[in-house]
Amino acid sequence: MKRTKAASKKEENEENQKEVEMALLALRRINMYRKMEKELYFNEIKEIVQHHKEHHNLTQLSYQSAWQVLIEGFCIDKSLEEVIVNELHFSSEAAREILELLKCIDWKRKEEENGRREVQMIKKWLNMIYEFFRSFTLRNEELAELMRSLIQLSRAAKGNNLVISNQCFSLLGSAAEKRNVKIDDLLKSGAIIAVLEEMKQSTLKDDIIQECLNLFYAILRRLKKEEEDEIEEAKRQIVKMELHEKMEEEGYEDAIAGFHKIIL
């Protein structure tokens, strides 16, 4: 509780800022997602994220920790989705943070010199994005921006960090499977072009080929399902009208009036 209150302080002096950062790191590591404790910490963490977006007062690691608390907490409490998606704008923030971290990495240098800390932070953002795609159902216009950042990351990591590159394509495939991700978003983000470019490479690894194919299969399944849904909806409307006409013929006017909203 004491650490949670420390995290809510907004003074800009160095001592209080260290308290905030230590509190966020501690909150990330402890299991505090029971219903009673959510009421104690959630509003403070939300305010910290909002304050950082305006003043950029946190380190990248602390800001990431705040988001980890919120994203992992969402898996327990679905009521947080509206806040995380549309109020705090996770998609845009994750995209921006990934690109900022990417600027600090020199892939040509030795691993211990090329921004190892930033690489690890990027991996944590990718894990959060996985949870985001897996659990969230709301549509928003920022998903294309998030997918564009994954494409930029995959291109930068190509030939240097296969784990990250593969994970980016895996996440794009996961996004393609989600009904809340519009196929138009996949087109706008350049995901399909990126996959086609990747598949042209003669040295492409089998696992990356599989991730690329998964994305195309997901899109084809989506298109087929949407077509089937349209057909099914047309069939349902026909059945409803036939039922309505039959009830009229049989003289069930009262029933028609009672169920008017259902059968029309």
Side-chain angles (χ1 to χ4, degrees):
M1 180 68 175
K2 182 178 179 181
R3 286 185 181 274
T4 307
K5 286 185 176 179
S8 67
K9 293 181 179 180
K10 303 299 187 298
E11 292 87 353
E12 298 300 330
N13 66 66
E14 184 176 349
E15 182 179 352
N16 282 335
Q17 197 54 44
K18 288 294 182 184
E19 281 190 79
V20 171
E21 293 172 3
M22 289 177 63
L24 288 170
L25 291 171
L27 287 171
R28 188 186 69 184
R29 289 181 171 87
I30 63 176
N31 179 14
M32 53 166 207
Y33 303 128
R34 295 189 299 274
K35 183 177 180 180
M36 182 179 71
E37 293 188 351
K38 177 234 172 181
E39 296 173 356
L40 298 176
Y41 79 84
F42 178 70
N43 287 335
E44 284 85 353
I45 301 297
K46 174 184 168 183
E47 288 176 11
I48 287 169
V49 170
Q50 290 173 322
H51 191 261
H52 175 77
K53 288 170 66 176
E54 295 178 10
H55 303 283
H56 304 286
N57 61 312
L58 297 176
T59 64
Q60 287 177 310
L61 181 60
S62 299
Y63 190 50
Q64 182 182 74
S65 296
W67 272 113
Q68 280 186 275
V69 172
L70 294 177
I71 294 295
E72 292 170 7
F74 171 77
C75 295
I76 303 299
D77 190 343
K78 301 288 186 181
S79 68
L80 306 185
E81 180 173 11
E82 176 67 32
V83 174
I84 290 172
V85 174
N86 292 326
E87 189 173 342
L88 298 180
H89 304 284
F90 173 79
S91 294
S92 292
E93 291 299 297
R96 183 180 56 77
E97 288 293 308
I98 284 175
L99 295 180
E100 285 298 315
L101 289 166
L102 194 53
K103 294 175 183 177
C104 302
I105 301 173
D106 183 355
W107 299 105
K108 296 179 181 179
R109 300 177 68 182
K110 294 180 181 179
E111 183 178 353
E112 62 270 17
E113 300 173 348
N114 75 346
R116 189 180 214 169
R117 174 177 173 273
E118 286 77 13
V119 170
Q120 293 305 314
M121 290 181 67
I122 282 176
K123 288 180 179 179
K124 289 177 181 178
W125 276 110
L126 295 180
N127 289 338
M128 278 191 277
I129 293 168
Y130 168 78
E131 292 295 335
F132 180 73
F133 284 151
R134 183 176 69 89
S135 303
F136 284 51
T137 58
L138 288 176
R139 286 187 173 179
N140 70 90
E141 300 301 321
E142 299 165 0
L143 289 170
E145 179 183 354
L146 178 56
M147 288 187 285
R148 276 194 293 271
S149 73
L150 294 175
I151 293 166
Q152 287 183 246
L153 176 59
S154 70
R155 286 172 173 161
K158 183 180 177 181
N160 299 291
N161 193 311
L162 287 178
V163 173
I164 287 179
S165 185
N166 289 359
Q167 193 170 0
C168 288
F169 280 104
S170 177
L171 288 170
L172 291 172
S174 298
E177 293 177 351
K178 295 284 290 181
R179 295 297 298 271
N180 63 313
V181 179
K182 297 178 182 178
I183 293 177
D184 282 349
D185 290 334
L186 291 165
L187 292 170
K188 290 176 184 177
S189 70
I192 295 174
I193 293 174
V195 169
L196 289 172
E197 289 176 351
E198 195 69 24
M199 293 183 72
K200 289 179 182 178
Q201 304 299 317
S202 59
T203 58
L204 202 61
K205 302 292 184 181
D206 288 345
D207 49 357
I208 297 184
I209 291 176
Q210 186 61 54
E211 297 296 354
C212 292
L213 291 174
N214 286 343
L215 185 142
F216 281 114
Y217 290 150
I219 292 174
L220 290 173
R221 285 194 298 269
R222 287 274 306 278
L223 291 172
K224 188 174 187 301
K225 184 67 170 64
E226 289 176 10
E227 181 181 358
E228 289 174 351
D229 287 347
E230 290 177 2
I231 293 172
E232 286 301 314
E233 179 59 28
K235 289 180 179 178
R236 282 194 294 270
Q237 291 299 328
I238 292 172
V239 171
K240 288 176 183 179
M241 291 305 301
E242 289 177 349
L243 177 59
H244 182 270
E245 291 171 1
K246 183 65 175 176
M247 292 177 75
E248 280 187 327
E249 291 175 3
E250 298 296 329
Y252 293 115
E253 289 85 358
D254 290 342
I256 293 173
F259 293 101
H260 185 73
K261 292 183 180 179
I262 298 175
I263 66 176
L264 288 179

